[in-house]
Amino acid sequence: TIIAADFITVALSVCALDITSQKTFNLKVVLIKQLYNPALIGLFLGLMVQLSNLTLPQIFLRLVDFVCNAGTPVALIAMGILLSFSTNKTQVVLSILIALLKIVTFPIILLLILLYFNFDMSISTTTLMVSAAPIGAMGLVFAAIYNITTDAVVRSGVITYILALISIPLFGTIF
């Protein structure tokens, strides 16, 4: 499903960041770091629960709901704090580039793939709408983890939130 595809994409992105953040490539270090990859851990735990038809205790489900519901507000607070800092012109241009890639280029590439493989567009509309959605908080988290300047990530998040007001309805009504 689309959620599994998102987890796989995030897991592979974290793996790619781990590889590119090393000065010299060491396969053993990359593999060990993947044991701490939150997306991979979540994917495998979710698959185990789903495939085993395991019924989790209500207290655990409430904890998961609480943590999930707290993620977005905490990320938005962090983004607001980071937006208050000044930035240089290069970061603004990079923010616009990231936003346009996410809101325009990615949905168009996905649309072309869906058309090429003749997917049922009545089912694929949701996937297209998700692809046209704003950048989430994960970019900010990755930037902080890998010591990358957060200016462009935060500003591109704000730009994509504004552009998504147009892109989501547009891609939702194409077919």
Side-chain angles (χ1 to χ4, degrees):
T1 67
I2 192 166
I3 304 281
D6 284 345
F7 271 99
I8 292 168
T9 303
V10 170
L12 291 175
S13 298
V14 171
C15 185
L17 283 169
D18 286 337
I19 291 170
T20 58
S21 66
Q22 293 182 4
K23 293 185 193 243
T24 58
F25 179 73
N26 185 339
L27 181 62
K28 183 179 177 183
V29 171
V30 170
L31 292 175
I32 290 172
K33 284 182 96 172
Q34 296 320 299
L35 295 175
Y36 304 102
N37 182 334
L40 275 178
I41 294 168
L43 178 66
F44 288 126
L45 286 175
L47 282 173
M48 286 189 322
V49 170
Q50 182 67 27
L51 295 175
S52 68
N53 293 325
L54 180 68
T55 303
L56 297 174
Q58 188 64 31
I59 191 166
F60 183 74
L61 296 174
R62 285 187 183 152
L63 174 65
V64 170
D65 283 342
F66 177 76
V67 171
C68 290
N69 291 334
T72 300
V74 170
L76 290 174
I77 290 169
M79 289 175 80
I81 291 169
L82 293 170
L83 276 172
S84 68
F85 300 133
S86 63
T87 188
N88 62 32
K89 191 173 185 175
T90 306
Q91 294 298 313
V92 173
V93 173
L94 181 59
S95 302
I96 293 169
L97 177 64
I98 291 170
L100 290 176
L101 285 172
K102 172 64 178 102
I103 297 294
V104 178
T105 307
F106 182 62
I108 289 173
I109 290 171
L110 180 62
L111 177 63
L112 293 173
I113 291 170
L114 292 171
L115 291 173
Y116 179 78
F117 288 106
N118 201 23
F119 279 96
D120 180 5
M121 293 312 284
S122 64
I123 297 172
S124 302
T125 301
T126 305
T127 305
L128 273 172
M129 290 172 64
V130 170
S131 74
I135 294 172
M138 289 303 292
L140 178 62
V141 172
F142 288 149
I145 290 172
Y146 291 97
N147 297 321
I148 298 169
T149 305
T150 58
D151 294 1
V153 176
V154 171
R155 281 171 177 67
S156 62
V158 172
I159 294 168
T160 58
Y161 281 114
I162 294 167
L163 292 176
L165 294 172
I166 298 167
S167 64
I168 293 173
L170 176 71
F171 282 100
T173 58
I174 285 180
F175 295 98

